[in-house]
Amino acid sequence: MSEFWLISAPGDKENLQALERMNTVTSKSNLSYNTKFAIPDFKVGTLDSLIGLSDELGKLDTFTESLIKRMAQSVAEVMEDSKGKVQENLLANGVDLTSFVTHFEWDMAKYPAKQPLANVVDTLTKQLAQIETDLKSRTATYNALKMNLENLEKKSTGNLFTRTLSDIVSREDFVLDSEYLITLLVIVPKTSYARWQKTYESLSDMVVPRSTKLIAEDNDGGLFTVTLFRKVIDDFKVKAKENKFTVREFYYDEKEIKREREEMTRLLSDKKQQYGPLLRWLKVNFSEAFIAWIHIKALRVFVESVLRYGLPVNFQAVLLQPHKKSATKRLREVLNSVFRHLDEVAAASILDASVEIPGLQLSNQDYFPYVYFHIDLSLLD
């Protein structure tokens, strides 16, 4: 499973024994794979500062989770033709995410533990804010380019009534630079081809005989040329409509057709040029954001453990990886039972949901007698 539980318990003898009992039960029952989760000794500061950091880290945790999810989605969108390879591009420090989490080590160079906690949190906040700003800018540029390209491509994929004709027609299909003659394009249903051939010359006066030619087809009909005198255009259109033939409003403009083709070539070239640098940036900064996220989880465990268990700092953090979804309920029961002594009142209410304790409001979903945080990698699938 791509799900982890990060918990902590006091580091005294009684609770270390409780952790051993937890490891024994979860191993024998095949509930989870457990490893110690090393967290540095930070400068604690004041109680007020810890309470403030607890709230700040909660918001930063939520923000970072949202950010890495958006970055993973951006990688999938950029790799539109290779979506099966997205996961192998979502790495942290060059390894898969599960390996990074299970072998986590605090990065002392990037986030020095000797600094005050507030400084470490500030460094993380600024780093992630910059990544988000760059993500918005880079993806907006790429998406605008992609949208313009898609709009041009859509014009080439519609039916004969709506699609662009610049990639279908050629100069040779038209009478150009004539003061008196003009070539029109007419859409004729497939079932009416024979009737068109028999009647088009008589739909109006001054239609050039044998001037029609089929130049394109779709599932429903064909695009025919017809040449006539300019002064009978309106009359011809009316008669054509009466016979269920549709005149497409199109006048051959070589400069405009050339401009459309050059625009398509330019957009394709720009997209190709931006693809590589954007994907590289996403991979590098997804890794940075994910690494920061796990550091934030570690900070939250530290802060909440000090607030919950008090000073001096003495707790043990453990990373649990549930073996399967169906085992999580049983795993939770084991943890609540093993660490019941940490908060007898809360634990009793959790273990027995039928017990109501006056004046104590608890949600069985989000309160536990031990410090607990959730890491869900499935959000990146």
Side-chain angles (χ1 to χ4, degrees), residues 300-319:
R300 294 194 74 188
V301 171
F302 180 88
V303 170
E304 296 306 322
S305 296
V306 175
L307 290 173
R308 180 79 69 92
Y309 308 135
L311 293 171
V313 177
N314 184 24
F315 67 89
Q316 176 63 60
V318 179
L319 184 74

Side-chain angles (χ1 to χ4, degrees), residues 243-273:
N243 284 273
K244 295 184 169 46
F245 305 138
T246 305
V247 177
R248 246 317 278 269
E249 295 296 334
F250 180 87
Y251 297 96
Y252 188 86
D253 184 334
E254 201 151 21
K255 289 183 179 179
E256 179 63 20
I257 289 173
K258 183 181 179 183
R259 188 199 66 77
E260 272 192 34
R261 289 173 179 167
E262 288 176 347
E263 177 71 358
M264 175 68 82
T265 302
R266 182 187 67 80
L267 289 173
L268 284 168
S269 175
D270 288 352
K271 184 183 177 186
K272 187 175 181 180
Q273 287 177 5

Side-chain angles (χ1 to χ4, degrees), residues 215-228:
I215 59 174
E217 284 186 292
D218 62 15
N219 293 333
D220 301 314
L223 188 68
F224 287 81
T225 60
V226 60
T227 302
L228 52 125

Side-chain angles (χ1 to χ4, degrees), residues 268-311:
L268 284 168
S269 175
D270 288 352
K271 184 183 177 186
K272 187 175 181 180
Q273 287 177 5
Q274 288 191 26
Y275 173 85
L278 177 58
L279 183 58
R280 284 192 293 275
W281 183 90
L282 284 168
K283 289 165 64 175
V284 168
N285 286 275
F286 173 86
S287 174
E288 291 296 309
F290 185 86
I291 291 168
W293 187 43
I294 305 305
H295 280 75
I296 290 165
K297 293 290 188 184
L299 283 171
R300 294 194 74 188
V301 171
F302 180 88
V303 170
E304 296 306 322
S305 296
V306 175
L307 290 173
R308 180 79 69 92
Y309 308 135
L311 293 171

Side-chain angles (χ1 to χ4, degrees), residues 49-68:
S49 68
L50 283 181
I51 293 172
L53 283 174
S54 175
D55 182 58
E56 190 175 343
L57 282 167
K59 294 175 182 176
L60 187 59
D61 188 352
T62 301
F63 167 79
T64 309
E65 182 176 322
S66 170
L67 176 62
I68 62 174

Side-chain angles (χ1 to χ4, degrees), residues 176-196:
L176 301 172
D177 305 321
S178 170
E179 184 180 350
Y180 301 106
L181 296 174
I182 187 171
T183 299
L184 301 182
L185 298 177
V186 183
I187 300 169
V188 178
K190 279 191 173 180
T191 55
S192 302
Y193 282 7
R195 187 164 59 86
W196 165 257

Side-chain angles (χ1 to χ4, degrees), residues 7 15 167 206 229 290 322 330 374:
I7 70 166
N15 285 291
D167 59 337
M206 301 184 177
F229 279 75
F290 185 86
R330 173 61 183 150
H374 187 232

